[in-house]
Amino acid sequence: MSFNQSYIGLRKDLLKYILGQSNVVLDVGCALGTNGAFLLEKKIASKVYGIEYDEEMAIEAGKQNIRVFSGDLDDESFIQSILKETLQFDYIIFGDVLEHLYDPLKVLIILKSMLKPDGQIIISLPNISHIELFIQVYIKGSWPKNERGIFDKTHIRWFTTKDGINIVKSAGLKVVFHERKYRSRDAIGSNFDLKAKVLKLFNKNLVTFQNIFVCQHA
């Protein structure tokens, strides 16, 4: 069984924002349940729930002591079936998920209703205003369809940094912490050279590969 390696790794960059112990966590797009297994092992979470579109991944995630809802978040009936559980979460994770949805704002608003009053939502989004867009579209003349990254072929929505902040606000949330993850090019491990450092001084968005937003009820 083969899965896209870009989607199944441990997201310590997001999990570091989950504080305390014995939290109840919802991992949206939980893949193989790697995040949930880590949170349970470290006792950061006492219960982890997952939502996963891919049925095979959902089955594997279920083996990690995670309760997984398997289905399509663009399907209204599927979302309603989750809401019927009347669950409340300390943290909800959207790790590079919203860009794969037809109506990400609607999904964010609906799942926000399951967030405890003092809970937090952790969102990561690729930044389409990265310099890679200029290189690929304006210099090379095409829109890539890659297996991962900014030009992942499964993306159906795209976000700049400002767009990310706006969708958070539109969902009735506020950003309490914003982290930029810098990368000079789309390629993993690309060297953050002098040119990238100059671009960062000129405009941070040009070398912001990914934005992480930690949010709570507005």
Side-chain angles (χ1 to χ4, degrees), residues 6 19 22 30 39 45 47-48 71 78 82 89 106 134 138 141-142 148 157 159-160 163 176 185 196-197:
S6 296
L19 307 178
S22 300
C30 65
L39 293 172
K47 294 181 180 179
V48 177
F78 172 64
I82 299 173
F89 298 102
K106 180 180 179 181
F134 181 82
Y138 292 98
S142 68
R148 50 148 300 281
R157 291 289 183 267
F159 296 88
T160 64
D163 292 331
V176 295
R185 295 291 304 274
K197 292 176 182 177

Side-chain angles (χ1 to χ4, degrees), residues 1 11 18 24 26 40 80 104 118 130 163 169 186 202:
M1 193 177 298
R11 292 298 302 270
I18 299 180
V24 182
L26 174 63
L40 291 169
Q80 292 303 320
D118 59 347
H130 190 278
D163 292 331
K169 291 181 178 178
D186 192 5
F202 175 69

Side-chain angles (χ1 to χ4, degrees), residues 1 16 61 71 85 109 113 127 166 171 183 217:
M1 193 177 298
K16 68 183 180 182
E85 299 285 336
I109 290 172
S113 70
N127 171 40
N166 285 341
R183 191 182 294 177
H217 291 286

Side-chain angles (χ1 to χ4, degrees), residues 152-202:
D152 186 320
K153 63 185 179 182
T154 64
H155 289 176
I156 53 179
R157 291 289 183 267
W158 295 269
F159 296 88
T160 64
T161 300
K162 185 175 181 179
D163 292 331
I165 294 170
N166 285 341
I167 195 173
V168 167
K169 291 181 178 178
S170 297
L173 297 163
K174 62 180 178 181
V175 177
V176 295
F177 188 79
H178 174 206
E179 177 188 351
R180 294 172 181 266
K181 296 181 71 175
Y182 294 108
R183 191 182 294 177
S184 60
R185 295 291 304 274
D186 192 5
I188 296 173
S190 55
N191 181 34
F192 203 81
D193 55 17
L194 179 60
K195 290 182 289 185
K197 292 176 182 177
V198 171
L199 285 174
K200 182 182 176 183
L201 290 173
F202 175 69

Side-chain angles (χ1 to χ4, degrees), residues 18-71:
I18 299 180
L19 307 178
Q21 291 187 313
S22 300
N23 293 288
V24 182
V25 179
L26 174 63
D27 188 5
V28 184
C30 65
L32 303 182
T34 308
N35 292 330
F38 175 87
L39 293 172
L40 291 169
E41 179 187 353
K42 301 296 183 182
K43 302 188 185 307
I44 299 169
S46 58
K47 294 181 180 179
V48 177
Y49 296 77
I51 297 175
E52 178 53 50
Y53 175 79
D54 186 288
E55 291 184 7
E56 290 185 348
M57 283 190 173
I59 291 170
E60 293 300 313
K63 298 176 183 178
Q64 304 290 343
N65 294 319
I66 298 169
R67 181 176 175 191
V68 183
F69 300 98
S70 180

